Amino acid sequence: GTITRKGCKWTASLSESSQYKEFYFNAAGDSLRSAFLKAPSYFTRFSSRFSLRRLHPILRTVRPHPGVDYAAPMGTPVKAVGNGVVTYRGWGRGAGNYITLQHPNGYETMYLHLSGFAKNLKKGGRVRQGEVIGYVGSTGYSTGPHLDFRMKKGGQFLNPEKILAPRDESVPKKRLNLFKSKRDNLRMYMSGEKEIKNYTPDA
């Protein structure tokens, strides 16, 4: 479809992915969808922010806190911020119950101190953006119910509050020619070069 606003025009094409069903792309094949949600869960406030020097509330030592703590009631659903693969689901001493997801383009997210995991969530399984993967808890080194959310790229911790939401994956190179062919065919119907009554998705 095409949207025109204030002199600008955006054209979006719907395509299917074998991994995550449907995506929308612009004419060049770049994704129009944000790769990550703004937050992994409903939360009442930030109980601790990203810091390179924070006094640990239990260990009473100054150490980095490479994540953001979201204060939320016990059992609040925790969602995957983006499409990804479960690379860890289990126990981690100070982290308590936690999950690690690997996302496209080198991103990795971690969800710590969970009270439990979503049913059927397994290592190696794929999850979709917004899918519930666990529940807020207070396991491991924790003074109360909250979600400790962490994010990495290329092995380096990022501040989730400051990172700009990147776009999702573009059309895969091996499917780009097919995408462009379907895009050009659809444009001819939209412009009137071909009669819309003759349109079929595979034409």
Side-chain angles (χ1 to χ4, degrees):
T2 301
I3 300 172
T4 303
R5 188 177 70 179
K6 293 184 179 179
C8 298
K9 185 168 74 172
W10 292 269
T11 300
S13 298
L14 174 64
S15 184
E16 291 187 357
S17 162
S18 59
Q19 295 180 9
Y20 306 116
K21 293 191 177 179
E22 298 175 345
F23 286 100
Y24 285 91
F25 302 96
N26 64 18
D30 299 320
S31 178
L32 294 176
R33 178 180 178 178
S34 176
F36 300 118
L37 299 177
K38 291 183 178 179
S41 181
Y42 164 80
F43 65 99
T44 57
R45 60 187 171 84
F46 292 107
S47 54
S48 185
R49 287 186 147 93
F50 187 96
S51 173
L52 298 178
R53 289 182 57 82
R54 182 191 72 154
L55 179 64
H56 195 283
I58 293 176
L59 303 178
R60 308 308 297 175
T61 57
V62 175
R63 56 175 57 195
H65 181 249
V68 174
D69 287 352
Y70 297 96
M74 183 75 74
T76 299
V78 173
K79 300 177 181 180
V81 294
N83 297 324
V85 176
V86 180
T87 55
Y88 188 82
R89 172 203 178 279
W91 181 261
R93 195 176 177 187
N97 292 318
Y98 81 98
I99 296 167
T100 300
L101 302 180
Q102 184 67 52
H103 305 280
N105 302 322
Y107 287 96
E108 186 177 28
T109 55
M110 288 138 279
Y111 310 76
L112 284 61
H113 307 303
L114 304 173
S115 61
F117 306 105
K119 187 177 180 181
N120 298 325
L121 186 82
K122 297 179 181 178
K123 183 178 179 180
R126 293 190 179 277
V127 296
R128 297 187 68 187
Q129 184 181 72
E131 181 178 337
V132 174
I133 56 175
Y135 304 90
V136 169
S138 188
T139 55
Y141 296 165
S142 170
T143 58
H146 73 284
L147 173 68
D148 183 341
F149 175 69
R150 303 184 180 191
M151 193 171 198
K152 285 182 178 180
K153 184 174 185 181
Q156 298 295 312
F157 281 108
L158 306 171
N159 184 345
E161 289 187 78
K162 291 186 176 181
I163 184 173
L164 295 176
R167 293 294 179 188
D168 215 331
E169 291 180 284
S170 299
V171 173
K173 287 184 179 179
K174 64 181 180 182
R175 299 188 62 201
L176 191 56
N177 287 337
L178 176 61
F179 173 85
K180 289 180 177 179
S181 175
K182 290 191 174 187
R183 173 202 66 191
D184 294 341
N185 179 60
L186 184 59
R187 277 178 171 170
M188 285 191 281
Y189 285 105
M190 293 174 68
S191 66
E193 292 179 52
K194 290 185 177 181
E195 290 191 35
I196 195 67
K197 67 180 182 180
N198 298 324
Y199 173 76
T200 59
D202 298 321

